Amino acid sequence: MKLQDKRVLLTGATGGIGKEVAKALAEQGASLVLVARRLAQLEELRALLPNSERHHVLALDLTQSCDMESLNEYARGCIDGQRIDIVINNAGHNQFDLLSRRSAQSVSQEIQLNLTVPILVAQSALQWINRPGIILNVGSTLGGIGYPGYSAYCAAKSGLYRFSEALNRELDGTGIQVLYLAPRTTDTSLNTESVRRMNQALGNHCDDAKCVAQHFIQVLEKEVSVLWIGWPEKLFVRINQLLPAVVSNAIRKQQETIHHFIRQMHKNV
Ligand SMILES: NC(=O)c1ccc[n+]([C@@H]2O[C@H](COP(=O)([O-])OP(=O)(O)OC[C@H]3O[C@@H](n4cnc5c(N)ncnc54)[C@H](OP(=O)(O)O)[C@@H]3O)[C@@H](O)[C@H]2O)c1
């Protein structure tokens, strides 16, 4: 899809990846509806974008049903003017820790923001999105590989992957496509200092958010159904589907380092 003059609703717009995606989309000539909870950050971002007067901000907590209703009302209101052509479900959060150490509340919040919210946004978008239209769900490499310390996040992102696949098939021929883009570790504040140090110790790649944003542009322009960013992550995701024991063995060798950083994290609290 050509992005020039398209209207894009972007959640998680003020985050490390969201900001770069907003800039890249605005540079392509898209007009944006930027969504996150904090209004000041949203306004600051809008002011930075080319043609700032063309963009709108919505300060909403997507885990609150009344805010979800406000999002729907806003989007339905666009039907008489310029409809929304693209929805990017990018808001997300995770907490690196052992499941046994986490509160039930933090686990359900993580599932809600990373899985339930994008499903509900997609469901409501079916009422108001333009045709042709695109719903792009932002997953993670961890949606393709179960990884220690991230069990709930892996569950949510892999659920989002299957949801995207199923809805894309359900909507076949309707003019609406549902795409899934899975970044690997990216340099944003989503990753705490302990996680950064652990990734360094494990030799994990860490992408720059600007480069990740270019993948968003590519996926939307070329209408790619699924993109796993980066080697060897892309390969590991495939091996994990075919020969999960091979990936389990590789992760077993990392266990000591992973547990070391989890222990350190709790010592520092
Ligand atoms: N960074 C990585 O290593 C990495 C790797 C793979 C996948 N991803 C995925 O990429 C996406 C973006 O990640 P990121 O690194 O940019 O995260 P981030 O920097 O932590 O940004 C998160 C964004 O979500 C918004 N948000 C959080 N809770 C919200 C809520 N309840 N309602 C509405 N907005 C909310 C935040 O703004 P407010 O706080 O103002 O609401 C912020 O704009 C996520 O889906 C993440 O899972 C990230």
Side-chain angles (χ1 to χ4, degrees):
M1 179 182 278
K2 279 214 171 88
L3 298 171
Q4 175 78 41
D5 295 325
K6 292 295 184 303
R7 191 136 199 234
V8 184
L9 186 141
L10 171 65
T11 73
T14 54
I17 293 176
K19 260 187 210 165
E20 295 303 331
V21 172
K23 287 181 203 163
L25 287 167
E27 279 161 16
Q28 295 289 325
S31 65
L32 306 176
V33 182
L34 306 163
V35 184
R37 286 170 300 184
R38 288 164 299 170
L39 182 61
Q41 274 85 347
L42 284 164
E43 286 293 7
E44 199 180 306
L45 172 62
R46 185 166 76 103
L48 277 178
L49 298 177
N51 304 311
S52 58
E53 71 293 343
R54 292 180 66 194
H55 312 300
H56 287 84
V57 302
L58 293 178
L60 302 172
D61 181 344
L62 296 171
T63 62
Q64 302 299 314
S65 50
C66 54
D67 282 12
M68 280 290 280
E69 192 37 50
S70 305
L71 176 81
N72 288 336
E73 254 173 50
Y74 176 87
R76 277 198 298 263
C78 295
I79 292 176
D80 297 332
Q82 194 196 351
R83 276 181 186 249
I84 289 165
D85 304 282
I86 298 173
V87 173
I88 306 181
N89 273 314
N90 170 67
H93 179 68
N94 66 35
Q95 187 184 331
F96 171 63
D97 208 343
L98 299 177
L99 186 65
S100 57
R101 286 187 172 263
R102 293 188 54 184
S103 68
Q105 196 194 13
S106 83
V107 171
S108 13
Q109 281 169 350
E110 198 167 288
I111 303 280
Q112 192 184 3
L113 184 62
N114 292 297
L115 180 60
T116 314
V117 163
I119 291 176
L120 295 179
V121 171
Q123 187 192 32
S124 83
L126 300 181
Q127 301 165 34
W128 40 256
I129 196 167
N130 208 3
R131 292 169 196 229
I134 293 179
I135 298 169
L136 170 58
N137 292 322
V138 180
S140 165
T141 301
L142 297 182
I145 299 176
Y147 203 78
Y150 286 109
S151 54
Y153 183 67
C154 290
K157 292 297 192 183
S158 64
L160 187 60
Y161 171 57
R162 281 287 174 245
F163 167 73
S164 309
E165 183 183 70
L167 188 62
N168 198 35
R169 289 172 180 168
E170 189 171 308
L171 296 175
D172 196 19
T174 64
I176 303 173
Q177 293 188 76
V178 186
L179 317 179
Y180 182 83
L181 169 61
R184 60 180 173 182
T185 304
T186 307
D187 187 13
T188 75
S189 58
L190 180 73
N191 300 307
T192 61
E193 199 42 44
S194 307
V195 170
R196 280 162 200 260
R197 279 191 274 114
M198 179 183 75
N199 280 328
Q200 274 170 5
L202 293 171
N204 291 339
H205 296 271
C206 183
D207 286 328
D208 177 57
K210 244 190 188 129
C211 298
V212 173
Q214 286 312 312
H215 288 287
F216 278 66
I217 301 297
Q218 186 198 336
V219 158
L220 292 170
E221 281 183 342
K222 297 191 175 154
E223 302 176 7
V224 178
S225 340
V226 181
L227 181 73
W228 302 91
I229 297 179
W231 291 95
E233 291 77 4
K234 208 181 287 245
L235 178 66
F236 281 154
V237 168
R238 191 52 66 88
I239 296 174
N240 195 49
Q241 285 170 335
L242 301 171
L243 300 164
V246 172
V247 177
S248 295
N249 276 336
I251 292 175
R252 193 164 292 128
K253 291 182 190 133
Q254 300 184 332
Q255 287 283 23
E256 212 177 293
T257 310
I258 295 168
H259 283 264
H260 164 78
F261 280 96
I262 290 176
R263 279 195 302 275
Q264 287 290 110
M265 204 170 69
H266 287 285
K267 250 194 228 165
N268 295 338
V269 171

